[in-house]
Amino acid sequence: MMAQCDVKDEAKAITHKTYEYELMHNIVGIVQPPSVPQFASQADFETHLTREDFLYYHYGCDGFRDHGWGCAYRTLQSMISWILPKRHWQSLLNVPSLREIQQTLVRIEDKPSRFVGSRDWIGALEVFYTVDTLYDVPCKILHVTRSEDLAQHIPELVKYFRDFGGFVMMGGDMDAASKGIAGVHTNGKDSYLLIVDPHYSGIPSSIKDLINNGYIRWQNTKEFVDSSFYNLCLPYLK
C-alpha cells in the first residue's frame, strides 16, 4: 500500500472539485437486464455487475468543453470515483480534472510537456498509469485483437467482475469511442456488456433518461466493431 506521506504528496496536485449539478450515480441499481433472443431463457444467463457505486462523468460535466476528444478521460474519472471510497485514505484524494490527468502523465514522463492543455486522446495504458500513480491501484490490460471475437474474452471478464466487481475502461482504434463497462450478462453463447457511455452532453435529468437515450445500455458483443482492436483496463482493487 502507498505510504501515508506519499499519499499526501500525490494529493497535493489534485484539487477538490465542485460541480454545477449532482453527478448521476447508482446506475447498476437502476438498469434492468437486457432483452435476450426469443429462443434463449433469462434463467440461463448470469449477471455480474460493478460492486459499489461510481459517478457518471461525461462531456462537459464540470463546465470544461472536451466534446470530441475527452471520452477516455471521463471514463477514467468514473473509474476513479469507484476507486476512492475503497481506500481508507480516500479523504486525502480527489478525482482529477482533465488537465490534472495530463499533468500526471507528463510528470511520470509518459507524455511530453506540450501534452498539458492539448486535446490529445488517451487510451487504456494512460488510464492504467494514472490510477497506478495517483491511487496505487494496479491494473491489467486486456487486449482484443482485430482477428479475435470480443466474446472470447467474456469468461475473463466474468471472473474479473466476480472477483473484483470493478469499473472497466474500454478503448479501441476503429471504434475510437471510449466507454466504461459496468457489468456482463451471459449464458456462454450470447453475451452483453453494460456500457457506460461518456459522450452525453448537457445535464441529464435521471439515469432513466440516460438509459432511454442509449448512454447507459446493454450491448451485445456481436454489435462491437469487428474491424477494431480493443484494449480494456481492469483495476485490481477489492
Side-chain angles (χ1 to χ4, degrees):
M1 178 174 290
M2 192 183 294
Q4 190 78 353
C5 60
D6 292 338
V7 171
K8 292 180 179 178
D9 289 342
E10 294 293 344
K12 290 177 181 178
I14 308 301
T15 61
H16 177 68
K17 312 297 188 302
T18 58
Y19 303 95
E20 294 183 3
Y21 58 92
E22 183 178 357
L23 298 181
M24 295 290 158
H25 65 103
N26 193 32
I27 289 172
V28 298
I30 295 176
V31 69
Q32 298 297 309
S35 299
V36 300
Q38 292 182 350
F39 56 82
S41 169
Q42 279 284 15
D44 296 330
F45 283 78
E46 58 178 316
T47 304
H48 301 276
L49 301 169
T50 297
R51 293 194 294 270
E52 303 179 15
D53 206 2
F54 59 89
L55 299 175
Y56 174 63
Y57 283 83
H58 58 87
Y59 280 164
C61 63
D62 52 6
F64 181 78
R65 292 189 58 83
D66 57 308
H67 303 69
W69 61 273
C71 52
Y73 294 85
R74 298 304 185 182
T75 300
L76 169 56
Q77 289 177 318
S78 289
M79 178 188 290
I80 291 171
S81 76
W82 173 81
I83 289 171
L84 290 184
K86 302 173 75 62
R87 290 305 208 190
H88 76 278
W89 34 259
Q90 60 168 313
S91 61
L92 299 174
L93 296 173
N94 299 289
V95 174
S97 65
L98 275 65
R99 187 177 184 87
E100 288 170 330
I101 292 168
Q102 293 179 334
Q103 290 171 335
T104 298
L105 293 169
V106 169
R107 180 163 54 81
I108 65 173
E109 300 182 348
D110 176 66
K111 302 293 183 186
S113 59
R114 66 160 188 82
F115 181 66
V116 176
S118 73
R119 295 188 175 188
D120 291 356
W121 296 1
I122 61 171
L125 282 175
E126 288 86 355
V127 169
F128 178 0
Y129 297 154
T130 301
V131 298
D132 186 42
T133 298
L134 294 178
Y135 309 105
D136 195 29
V137 176
C139 301
K140 178 176 181 178
I141 300 296
L142 179 61
H143 182 60
V144 183
T145 68
R146 292 185 183 88
S147 62
E148 290 181 301
D149 186 340
L150 181 58
Q152 294 176 232
H153 297 271
I154 289 298
E156 186 166 359
L157 284 174
V158 167
K159 185 177 188 308
Y160 171 76
F161 280 106
R162 183 187 295 131
D163 293 348
F164 294 92
F167 183 89
V168 175
M169 175 270 182
M170 182 180 198
D173 62 343
M174 298 302 292
D175 179 1
S178 175
K179 52 192 74 75
I181 301 174
V184 59
H185 186 75
T186 183
N187 65 356
K189 296 179 181 179
D190 284 294
S191 299
Y192 302 79
L193 299 180
L194 179 55
I195 300 300
V196 179
D197 188 335
H199 294 83
Y200 181 89
S201 179
I203 302 177
S205 60
S206 66
I207 295 298
K208 289 184 178 179
D209 175 51
L210 294 170
I211 293 171
N212 291 338
N213 286 285
Y215 291 98
I216 307 298
R217 64 183 183 274
W218 285 103
Q219 185 168 335
N220 193 296
T221 55
K222 298 174 184 176
E223 297 172 347
F224 286 85
V225 180
D226 57 10
S227 60
S228 177
F229 75 72
Y230 288 100
N231 282 328
L232 284 69
C233 182
L234 288 59
Y236 274 53
L237 177 65
K238 291 187 176 181

